[in-house]
Amino acid sequence: MAVVLAFVILGIYLIRNSNPQQEASGIERTTSAYVTVISFLFGAVCSGVAGYIGMWVSVRANVRVSSAARRSARESLQVALRAGGLSALIVVGMTVLGVAILYSSFYVYLRVEDSNTMHVTELPLLLVGYGFGASFVALFAQLGGGIYTKAADVGADLVGKVEQGIPEDDPRNPAVIADLVGDNVGDCAARGADLFESIAAEIISAMILGGSMAKRCRLEDASGFILFPLVVHSFDLVVSAIGILSIRGTRDPGSKSLVEDPMAILQRGYSVTLILAVLAFCGSTRWLLYTEQAPAAWLHFALCGLVGIITAYIFVWISQYYTDYKYEPVRSVALASSTGHGTNVIAGVGLGLESTAMPTLVISVAVISAYWLGKTSGLVDTDGSPTGGLFGTAVATMGMLSTAAYVLTMDMFGPIADNAGGIAEMSQQPDSVREITDLLDAVGNTTKATTKGFAIGSAALASFLLFSAYMDEVSHFAQIKFNEVDIAIPEVFIGGLLGSMLIYLFSAWACMAVGRTAQEVVNEVRRQFMERPGIMTYQDKPDYGRCVSIVASSALREMIKPGALAVVSPILIGIVFKIVGQYTEQPLLGAKVVAAMLMFATVSGILMALFLNTAGGAWDNAKKFIESGALGGKGSDAHKAAVTGDTVGDPFKDTAGPSLHVLIKMLATITLVMAPLFL
């Protein structure tokens, strides 16, 4: 699909209008076309490889974690965390390396150093295709992986736990292998591609804004402002590695149990990473962003980075509060399970809706604070107007993602621990081993939820940057100042409405895809239990391959429709309203409508993703809380109601929710790439 889209992009670039700035720099239309297509394909390949690496490490680590749990909880925790850390460091490293390779290749190929017309500040715009390719593959990886894993999980739980009363991951369940494979597909492969895309989009948008600001301010050396994001994420690799290696789980001599809560151990490693990230960020800011024109600017930008780092920490804490069963919100959902299935679902939906408030307030304060700090940095354009506001927001986004490798480590930890528990159950290990893997799995559920909250926050800030870059691009092509969108114009308002509708329709199709596939799995599992009664007495072996085949083929088929909706919608809306604008003598109508669509889709998508992710994570851990022995424990009526809630939340937290924050960034990158079509 990426190859097909690459040919479409090539055709569009060969027939579209040229950017006047690029023409003045000596970049021909064909050069621009081939550069964008190469960037797109390179981003797509790197995103796919990032996902593959995450899965490759996971399937080798989970059996080692399960084996380590036979010896001690401390050892199993370390193996799971370091395996997740290896995946995370490779993913972040690939992102930095990919952008650096493209940037340096174009720098040499276009002879920027020797050219009198091509300026270094114009190079980052040629990298937009890289972000689009990464977003495109990440969206399909997240969609397909989410459909695969949750359809298998729902089918396995509904028939195995509720109808047959057998434990989770019991080898008698025909869907258990599909469920365990799905954890790797949906959580490791998809999340690796997702975080790769998040960092790539943030790096490129920050490079574009840094270059354009340096150009407006007539700075003698703009390279520091352009390369700053690459340096920040290079330090991210170092500080996150130190944070991972700093973790030493403690235990009593001769005991298998951890003295400390695993979550507290992970949080301590995160605190080490944060402290080092603050020091590295401030040092990088002084090194690269100091300029004689505004000697205090670097300090303002360092404070912007601090705003981003604090925002990341608060987001992680909020997500943990709403999804960890040590806190009141999840316990209230578990208590609601004791009065039935319906009250459990109502409590989970209510908690998910409530959880959107605090993150929204935090994002609002972060954006305004970073923008104000950037604007008051002392950098001014040729007219004397303050011009550092947007770049301040970009620096805050970099600060938020400056610990991305450690956060991704915590995310990868979850599915590895989950799979280790499945292996322990299927190989019929003693209860003491399963207790350790269950504890790690419950912590993994919380870390996965915190990572999703972190990803949503970074997506909000990155989308704001990409939106600003889109408006700059339209200004360059149209040669008209384009810095505001009036939603009082009926067509522009309709564009916003369509953007919000796109979020709801996409979420609906993603959840319905999981539902349809899960129905096939449920019917297949029921059929096997009915036709082969020897399965329950271990005299007959289930046909695991049939369930794997169902979810794999269905995931590939079902992801096409919502994915196509995401790709086609912004292009179609922009072209249609461009034609309307030609008839109504509104030359920029197409670009304005697309801008409104982006704004409304970003706002709706962030709130919807927060709701879906938090509600799903809360339902899951409410079930885990009851399974730990509360409210009657496993097999009780409260447990059955909690399984229903967890089943409802599965497509929320692992399919629709994570796909949404990829979707809003992909909408921003596709409109940036296709901007000339709307003029």
Side-chain angles (χ1 to χ4, degrees), residues 18 99 107 156 212 230 251 296-297 324 396 427 444 447 455 520 544 564 588 605 627 643:
S18 296
V99 175
Y107 189 94
S212 62
L230 293 174
R251 64 188 177 99
D324 194 330
S427 57
T447 59
E520 293 183 50
Y544 301 120
L588 288 182
E627 288 176 347
V643 170

Side-chain angles (χ1 to χ4, degrees), residues 1 55 136-152 178 181-187 189-191 193 506 509-510 513-514 517 548 550-563 654-656 658-659 662:
M1 292 175 77
M55 195 163 170
F136 183 79
V137 170
L139 180 67
F140 283 97
Q142 192 71 71
L143 258 178
I147 294 167
Y148 187 115
T149 181
K150 289 303 109 182
V181 173
D183 289 333
N184 296 298
V185 175
D187 288 326
R191 199 77 74 251
F506 178 88
W509 283 358
V514 174
T517 309
V548 171
I550 288 171
V551 291
S553 58
S554 183
L556 290 168
R557 183 179 67 251
E558 294 280 5
M559 72 182 183
I560 293 173
K561 190 168 76 168
D654 285 321
T655 308
S659 298
V662 182

